[in-house]
Amino acid sequence: MKILGASLFGAGVIFVGGIMFWGAFNTAMEATNTLGFCINCHEMKDNVYQEYTKTIHYTNRSGVRAACSDCHVPKDWVHKFVRKIQASGEVFHWLMGTVNTPEKFDAKRYQLAKRVWATMKSTDSRECRNCHAFDQMNPNLQKQRAKKQHENAQAEGGTCIDCHKGIAHKPVHHLLEQEEEQKAAEEAKKKAEADAKKAASATAAAPAAAPASAPAAAPATGGAQLPPVTGKAVDWSKAAETKTVLFYPGQTAIEWVLTGTDHGGTRAFKKGDRCFECHSNETADMGAKMVSGSKAEKTPIPGKRAAIPLSIKAAYDADNLYMRFEFPAGPHNEVPFVKGGKMDPDNEVKVAMMIDGGKVDMAARSGCWTSCHADARDMPQAPAAPGAVPGIDTSHGYVTKYVPESRTQFDTTARNNWDKVKPQAELDALLAGGTFLDLTRWKSSGASEQGYILADRVLKPGNDVAYTGKKEGDKWVVTMIRRLKATQPGEVTLVPGQSYSVGFAVHDDFTNGRFHHVSVDLKLGLDAEGEIKAVKM
């Protein structure tokens, strides 16, 4: 008897031989998937393995370890076989000594990482999904920011590697960010040059036009003012209360927010998510990290509060906005790097509010954060002795807040944009057009101030705003009356039925500068949508 031309005995030998060959081949394949095999060369053992052992994929609370092959080798046989063929190129480079020293490995690390990221992107993070899957997640057990980003990823067709680069090895994805920013800057420059060339051509070709009438000028700062604002008595028991938590931000400037290696939510923020959406429930925890010096703070103040709970109530009438702030008073803690231990001995407390009229690009997502920069005073890139720069006041010896639109350059890598101020004519146009943050502030010494942030912070005694406040037992209570209608440049006109992005800051315990507590972005709605609801009286 024959089977396919072979005798029964021969067919049996072929069958058994095939099983043995397949078993041996598959065993060899699996042997090359072990952690021991992956690190039997010092290129892997001395470099990426050492980094991997310090991550959650190596040691974690559940005792489940993801070995090299779990992340870098497909599970299914076909893709696994293809990957093994591709690995022959790695054997060649091992023989050539391409990465046989830490220096050589680091020199090629970014190139190697990009190759892996591209592969994972092309396979929809197939190997990640062996352990992690959207449909197996319980969003209710995730942190607010993780839940939000996983929901975004599912809605937008995102994949794991879009956000989770650098989780098992030395991070180099900041180089990818720099590469993308440089490319975007080059494209923007080319577009600007093309637009300028097109405009010049159009101007040359157009017939001479009659002189246009000058636009109506905005009221000049320091010009005629209305009498000091006055308002009605408010029954605050009938106003809706919003509770939020201000937190200590350390040195987390807007450039920090926009850098992925500093801030894990950079990608989501750039795509349009608000800070509030990811962080509103964890501000106290974030403040604890900063105030302790464990993250983004080089000069911690012993005993300083990590967070301050803030109660906000709001109302309005035909002329004015009314707001009430309440927060617990705190103990005094000596500032070790300030003579006398108090940065501002005359003011135990200061309360500030910023309002965006809709023209400052990032304010709707970050609130007042868009005005906080890495080159301001007491920040990492602060100039030691800023010289005179047209458009800003540096006579006090430091740089204050500004919005990015006021600069000719906004480099989030070098983070030294303080002196790249636009010409005064352009700043005047921005101010007239509403590209600024409206700023008011109360000092416990009794002063009410108003102003704005554009090229720097401008504050003067308030006439369109009036604060009152005092310590009542173990809490501070501060109230504000503010005209709805702007009467000076740098003020936002508030319109019933609309919402505005706002931010709040409290300087407690005689502090100054960045050593305050701040809110994430919030929305104030005058009978409109917002976290803070002002109802007409």
Side-chain angles (χ1 to χ4, degrees), residues 80-107:
K80 182 191 296 183
F81 185 69
V82 172
R83 178 68 186 93
K84 294 300 180 181
I85 294 174
Q86 293 171 339
S88 60
E90 297 166 15
V91 174
F92 170 76
H93 285 288
W94 170 71
L95 292 170
M96 296 295 293
T98 305
V99 291
N100 62 355
T101 68
E103 293 75 19
K104 288 182 180 180
F105 195 97
D106 275 338

Side-chain angles (χ1 to χ4, degrees), residues 379-396:
M379 297 294 272
Q381 301 299 115
V389 175
I392 63 173
D393 178 13
T394 55
S395 61
H396 33 54

